[in-house]
Amino acid sequence: MSRIRTALVPVAEIFALRHAVLRPGLPPESAVFPEDGRPEVFHVAAYDEEGEVQACVTFLPEPLPDTGEAAYRFRGMASAPAVRGRGYGVAVLEAGLAEAAARGAGLVWCNGRTGARGFYEHHGFTVQGEEFMVEGVGPHFVFLIKVGGVGARP
């Protein structure tokens, strides 16, 4: 497979996929994140050969929970079901980590589903703290990775 094209995009470019994968059956507004419009927030899309968005993720400066340490958080990571396991999710994650590092991040974290632990650990993340429940979604961990910067700049 050829290299997957990724790009930093406006939220409108990824919204349909985010809604379809992460909030199926719910109203579209359920997939709007409060921070989507903040200028320091960025969104990454991965495209197939036809130019269709197949994966997405959103990154924002947000301190690491329980420590207050400067970091970037990512959320809303989604891959179209038809392309899972083909590298699109990894492509948006890697592009987002690189962009966060370029913006000065030293740490990146997420609240990830417990079932995704193997994926995150395979890509260099470690578990931070104890498992917790997200209402209506299920068990999660905080996953953390060090990246190239010395601290996040908002």
Side-chain angles (χ1 to χ4, degrees):
M1 185 164 108
S2 63
R3 182 164 163 76
I4 296 170
R5 183 175 71 87
T6 61
L8 298 181
V9 298
V11 70
E13 182 85 6
I14 64 166
F15 190 79
L17 180 64
R18 181 199 284 176
H19 177 249
V21 172
L22 301 178
R23 305 289 193 269
L26 297 175
E29 57 272 12
S30 70
V32 174
F33 298 159
E35 58 274 349
D36 277 339
R38 291 181 9 206
E40 68 276 15
V41 174
F42 65 92
H43 312 279
V44 182
Y47 299 90
D48 63 17
E49 284 109 14
E50 288 78 40
E52 296 294 319
V53 175
Q54 296 296 338
C56 63
V57 67
T58 297
F59 279 74
L60 59 137
E62 187 173 314
L64 185 63
D66 300 326
T67 70
E69 192 171 353
Y72 266 73
R73 174 185 179 192
F74 67 93
R75 64 182 302 197
M77 189 168 155
S79 295
V83 301
R84 291 206 182 123
R86 294 183 36 206
Y88 288 91
V90 173
V92 293
L93 179 60
E94 289 177 351
L97 292 173
E99 180 65 20
R103 293 179 183 216
L107 296 172
V108 175
W109 67 278
C110 73
N111 290 330
R113 295 173 195 251
T114 299
R117 183 175 185 163
F119 171 84
Y120 287 115
E121 288 178 339
H122 179 75
H123 293 287
F125 287 80
T126 58
V127 170
Q128 178 88 8
E130 300 296 318
E131 184 179 68
F132 61 95
M133 292 297 291
V134 174
E135 182 77 29
V137 180
H140 280 63
F141 284 111
V142 170
F143 294 99
L144 174 68
I145 191 169
K146 291 184 180 182
V147 293
V150 294
R153 292 187 315 255

